[in-house]
Amino acid sequence: MRKVLLTGLLALILSGGAMAYSVGAYANDDPGRGLYLPSDITLAQAQLAIEAGLKVAKERGLLMDIAIVDAGGNLKAFVRMNGAFLASVDIAIKKAKTARGLNMPTSDLHRAAVPGGELYGIEATNGGMVIFGGGELIKNLEGTIIGAIGVSGDSVANDTLVAQAGAKAVLKSFMAALKTPKP
Amino acid sequence: MRKVLLTGLLALILSGGAMAYSVGAYANDDPGRGLYLPSDITLAQAQLAIEAGLKVAKERGLLMDIAIVDAGGNLKAFVRMNGAFLASVDIAIKKAKTARGLNMPTSDLHRAAVPGGELYGIEATNGGMVIFGGGELIKNLEGTIIGAIGVSGDSVANDTLVAQAGAKAVLKSFMAALKTPKP
Amino acid sequence: MRKVLLTGLLALILSGGAMAYSVGAYANDDPGRGLYLPSDITLAQAQLAIEAGLKVAKERGLLMDIAIVDAGGNLKAFVRMNGAFLASVDIAIKKAKTARGLNMPTSDLHRAAVPGGELYGIEATNGGMVIFGGGELIKNLEGTIIGAIGVSGDSVANDTLVAQAGAKAVLKSFMAALKTPKP
Amino acid sequence: MRKVLLTGLLALILSGGAMAYSVGAYANDDPGRGLYLPSDITLAQAQLAIEAGLKVAKERGLLMDIAIVDAGGNLKAFVRMNGAFLASVDIAIKKAKTARGLNMPTSDLHRAAVPGGELYGIEATNGGMVIFGGGELIKNLEGTIIGAIGVSGDSVANDTLVAQAGAKAVLKSFMAALKTPKP
């Protein structure tokens, strides 16, 4: 994606901005080009995070709802395992939105939101925020937040574990891409 | 319902899947067949739970709102006794939805949702959850969750008592059906 | 309750309104006394309306959601037949609330709410109103509105038919009570 | 799932109801057993529907949001393609819920909900329903509704095409399973 963008911009600059807008060459590869921000989480990455989360859940016999939001906080992908909590549909999505909405894991909110804490009552905003663990940020290699993952269905410790596995899987995929020799 | 299902599936298997689709024989008995999942709570069972709850409430002079949801968390039946709290319409329904949404009695949530508890703030999700007693699961003999009952109108102890009476009545009806000799 | 009301009114009339208010004797029979308005729909009447509606529905093979609200527009009773629409939980309740909210059958709203009609757009208020038939008022013999019934699950004509059957059943019970010879 | 259910019920019946409750053998295969109703859509089936929908979308260069709900109308799985409409997150989910809520494709609602139509205004209920095409029911071989798919992102014709492809894929998988010789 980055290379595509660079090529496009270079061409635009070199041509003095007069070049006709032409992305036909890319149309087949990415019909959504221009409709979302460069480096925003892709569906492939979201599915990678979900697969990694499901793998940990299955290994441990956990039943999970897993939600991914993009950098804009909008739902990108979601799965509910067979038998996982119905209420966790909303909780998983809200965990991901809360993490991205405040740029921190939801576990960081836990202490601040108790009575007397600095953010006491924050859960009543934004149509309901989640102030316990299970929401984690998804970042790229530059540390830019490209989305978030929210997991709900078991103990907070297990929700967090699965969420971190998902976020880590995306980060690893960036590292793997770096190491791959280019032809 | 169970018998109907079995007959259909058995016929399908015994015939090697080649049998013509024919449920005309059941149409008169259950016009809703195919529109709800086998073993989901029936209206008759929901009314049984409500009757059992009302009986306990009347014996003790309690004024109750009683709600039943199905396995999908959708409202199946509801009654509000004369003079019972108006606010308990919503509370009873939410108790039933909360119990089914998290597959546990709402009393189990109570401790986890206090300040400092693992799930503190969970009540702000799902458009409002109820984190005190009075919501109980309704199960069949196999232990499958087929719905939930939510009761609100008096002390939490009394709400719970009435809710448990309702859930128990459905379970008893399953046991009674097992013992009934078949012609 | 019905007898209490009649007796009370008769006594009030015969005494020229000067009689002392004294219903202590009934307190044990109706623990909810004082918590709801005299002549508001009772649970027994709500269930009567529902039974009458279910009877018509079963005779015609219809799958219905039936909701009853009291004179305050608050949910009093509800049933969803096996296989009846899930979306009709909300629609049936909203039909009853809409009928009571505007003191007219919801079918009366239908014409007024089309584009160019006087009430165009009214369905967007009150968290959603229903502007097609199936909501009917429940009145007593004096013509006082004591509640409303909302029915959803089939064609508007059938929804209306079932709702009217429910409302009529309550009215008939008032007439039957009048004719009953008192000991 | 079907086989598991049959075995359990058959054993129960053959043993005269006296058999000890024992499902340990299935525990590893399905840790969610008992927490969802038999024959409800599984995550594998939901993902199959999404894959089939994505395939059609990619072939035609469409950018889609695709949502799957279970038989209870609760979100089971969701994906948003890169560049697909943000607003379609809500529309796709609501299309699936609307289809299941009224047991019909959302395209069937279109005519009934125009001004003067029987259900004009129905979109204001249930927190917002979608009254144009793109929501389709998912059924099993017995014709039982096990869920629904909602697709949003392009023309109604294309949304419907993709939704139907998803629903058909699940039905085909049931047929394929029937034909597979059992060991």
Side-chain angles (χ1 to χ4, degrees):
Chain A
M1 192 69 224
R2 214 179 315 143
K3 217 164 67 184
V4 168
L5 176 72
L6 249 185
T7 313
L9 286 181
L10 272 177
L12 197 67
I13 286 165
L14 294 177
S15 68
M19 95 180 204
Y21 182 61
S22 149
V23 290
Y26 306 111
N28 288 336
D29 297 318
D30 183 5
R33 198 169 176 277
L35 300 173
Y36 62 104
L37 293 181
S39 86
D40 200 355
I41 193 168
T42 63
L43 181 52
Q45 289 164 339
Q47 286 172 322
L48 196 68
I50 283 178
E51 288 304 325
L54 286 176
K55 187 166 174 287
V56 173
K58 281 171 190 166
E59 283 166 6
R60 298 178 174 244
L62 310 171
L63 302 176
M64 295 299 199
D65 292 58
I66 306 179
I68 310 288
V69 298
D70 65 12
N74 302 292
L75 191 63
K76 185 76 183 173
F78 173 85
V79 297
R80 173 162 53 93
M81 293 173 74
N82 302 333
F85 293 149
L86 297 179
S88 290
V89 175
D90 188 61
I91 298 173
I93 295 173
K94 281 197 167 71
K95 278 182 181 176
K97 290 193 180 191
T98 300
R100 174 46 177 155
L102 294 170
N103 293 341
M104 62 180 75
T106 55
S107 51
D108 286 11
L109 269 176
H110 197 54
R111 210 164 304 172
V114 292
E118 188 155 270
L119 302 180
Y120 173 56
I122 195 170
E123 72 276 12
T125 67
N126 288 282
M129 300 188 93
V130 181
I131 54 178
F132 46 92
E136 296 284 332
L137 295 171
I138 300 177
K139 299 182 180 181
N140 64 17
L141 284 181
E142 288 84 41
T144 301
I145 299 169
I146 63 169
I149 180 171
V151 177
S152 175
D154 206 85
S155 68
V156 166
N158 280 333
D159 291 354
T160 302
L161 191 81
V162 171
Q164 287 174 343
K168 207 173 293 175
V170 177
L171 198 65
K172 270 187 192 167
S173 75
F174 282 114
M175 289 191 282
L178 269 189
K179 286 172 197 157
T180 308
K182 306 243 167 55
Chain B
M1 193 67 225
R2 214 182 314 147
K3 219 164 67 185
V4 167
L5 175 72
L6 251 185
T7 312
L9 287 181
L10 273 178
L12 198 67
I13 284 164
L14 295 176
S15 68
M19 94 183 205
Y21 182 64
S22 149
V23 290
Y26 307 110
N28 289 336
D29 298 318
D30 184 4
R33 200 171 175 276
L35 301 173
Y36 64 106
L37 292 184
S39 87
D40 202 355
I41 194 167
T42 63
L43 181 51
Q45 289 164 340
Q47 286 173 323
L48 197 67
I50 284 179
E51 287 305 323
L54 286 176
K55 186 166 174 288
V56 173
K58 281 172 190 165
E59 283 166 5
R60 299 177 174 245
L62 309 171
L63 303 176
M64 294 298 199
D65 292 58
I66 306 179
I68 310 288
V69 298
D70 65 13
N74 300 293
L75 190 64
K76 186 75 183 174
F78 174 86
V79 297
R80 174 163 51 92
M81 293 173 74
N82 302 332
F85 294 146
L86 297 180
S88 289
V89 175
D90 189 59
I91 297 172
I93 294 173
K94 281 199 167 71
K95 279 184 181 175
K97 292 193 180 189
T98 299
R100 174 45 176 156
L102 295 171
N103 294 343
M104 64 180 74
T106 55
S107 51
D108 286 11
L109 266 177
H110 197 53
R111 209 164 303 171
V114 293
E118 184 156 279
L119 302 179
Y120 173 58
I122 196 172
E123 71 276 12
T125 67
N126 286 283
M129 300 190 92
V130 181
I131 54 177
F132 47 91
E136 296 283 332
L137 294 172
I138 299 178
K139 299 183 180 180
N140 64 17
L141 284 181
E142 289 85 40
T144 302
I145 299 170
I146 62 169
I149 180 170
V151 176
S152 175
D154 206 87
S155 67
V156 166
N158 281 332
D159 291 354
T160 302
L161 191 81
V162 171
Q164 288 175 342
K168 208 172 291 174
V170 177
L171 198 65
K172 270 186 192 166
S173 74
F174 281 113
M175 289 192 282
L178 271 188
K179 286 173 197 155
T180 308
K182 308 239 166 57
Chain C
M1 192 65 224
R2 213 180 313 142
K3 219 163 72 185
V4 167
L5 175 72
L6 250 184
T7 314
L9 286 182
L10 274 177
L12 198 66
I13 286 165
L14 294 177
S15 68
M19 97 182 200
Y21 183 63
S22 149
V23 290
Y26 305 111
N28 287 337
D29 298 319
D30 183 4
R33 200 168 174 282
L35 300 174
Y36 63 107
L37 292 181
S39 87
D40 201 355
I41 194 168
T42 63
L43 181 52
Q45 289 165 341
Q47 285 172 323
L48 196 68
I50 283 178
E51 288 304 324
L54 286 176
K55 187 166 175 287
V56 172
K58 281 172 189 166
E59 282 166 6
R60 298 176 174 246
L62 310 171
L63 303 176
M64 295 299 199
D65 292 59
I66 306 180
I68 311 288
V69 298
D70 64 12
N74 301 292
L75 191 63
K76 185 77 183 173
F78 173 86
V79 296
R80 174 162 52 93
M81 293 173 74
N82 302 333
F85 294 149
L86 296 180
S88 290
V89 174
D90 188 61
I91 298 173
I93 294 174
K94 282 197 166 70
K95 279 183 180 176
K97 291 193 180 190
T98 300
R100 175 44 178 157
L102 294 170
N103 293 341
M104 63 180 75
T106 55
S107 51
D108 286 11
L109 269 178
H110 197 53
R111 211 163 305 170
V114 292
E118 189 155 88
L119 302 180
Y120 173 57
I122 195 169
E123 72 275 12
T125 66
N126 288 282
M129 300 187 92
V130 181
I131 55 177
F132 47 91
E136 297 284 332
L137 295 170
I138 300 178
K139 299 182 179 181
N140 64 16
L141 284 180
E142 289 85 40
T144 302
I145 300 169
I146 63 168
I149 179 170
V151 177
S152 175
D154 205 86
S155 68
V156 167
N158 281 332
D159 291 355
T160 303
L161 193 80
V162 171
Q164 288 176 341
K168 207 172 293 173
V170 178
L171 198 65
K172 270 186 190 165
S173 74
F174 281 115
M175 289 191 283
L178 269 188
K179 286 174 197 155
T180 307
K182 310 247 164 50
Chain D
M1 192 66 225
R2 213 181 316 146
K3 220 163 69 185
V4 167
L5 174 72
L6 252 185
T7 313
L9 288 181
L10 273 178
L12 198 66
I13 285 165
L14 295 176
S15 68
M19 95 182 203
Y21 181 63
S22 149
V23 290
Y26 305 111
N28 288 336
D29 298 318
D30 183 5
R33 199 171 175 277
L35 302 174
Y36 63 106
L37 293 184
S39 87
D40 202 355
I41 194 168
T42 62
L43 181 52
Q45 289 165 340
Q47 285 172 324
L48 197 67
I50 284 178
E51 287 305 324
L54 286 176
K55 186 167 174 287
V56 173
K58 281 172 189 165
E59 283 165 6
R60 299 178 174 244
L62 309 171
L63 303 176
M64 294 301 199
D65 292 59
I66 306 179
I68 311 287
V69 298
D70 65 12
N74 300 294
L75 191 63
K76 186 78 183 170
F78 173 86
V79 295
R80 175 162 50 92
M81 294 173 74
N82 302 332
F85 294 146
L86 297 180
S88 289
V89 174
D90 188 57
I91 297 174
I93 294 173
K94 281 198 167 70
K95 278 183 181 175
K97 292 193 178 189
T98 299
R100 174 45 177 155
L102 294 170
N103 293 343
M104 63 181 74
T106 55
S107 50
D108 286 10
L109 267 178
H110 196 56
R111 209 165 303 170
V114 293
E118 185 155 278
L119 302 181
Y120 173 60
I122 196 172
E123 71 275 12
T125 66
N126 286 283
M129 300 189 90
V130 181
I131 54 177
F132 48 91
E136 298 282 333
L137 294 171
I138 300 177
K139 299 182 180 182
N140 64 17
L141 283 181
E142 290 85 39
T144 300
I145 299 170
I146 62 169
I149 179 171
V151 177
S152 175
D154 206 86
S155 68
V156 166
N158 281 332
D159 291 355
T160 302
L161 193 81
V162 172
Q164 288 175 342
K168 207 172 292 174
V170 177
L171 197 64
K172 268 186 193 166
S173 76
F174 281 115
M175 289 192 283
L178 271 188
K179 285 172 197 155
T180 308
K182 310 240 164 56

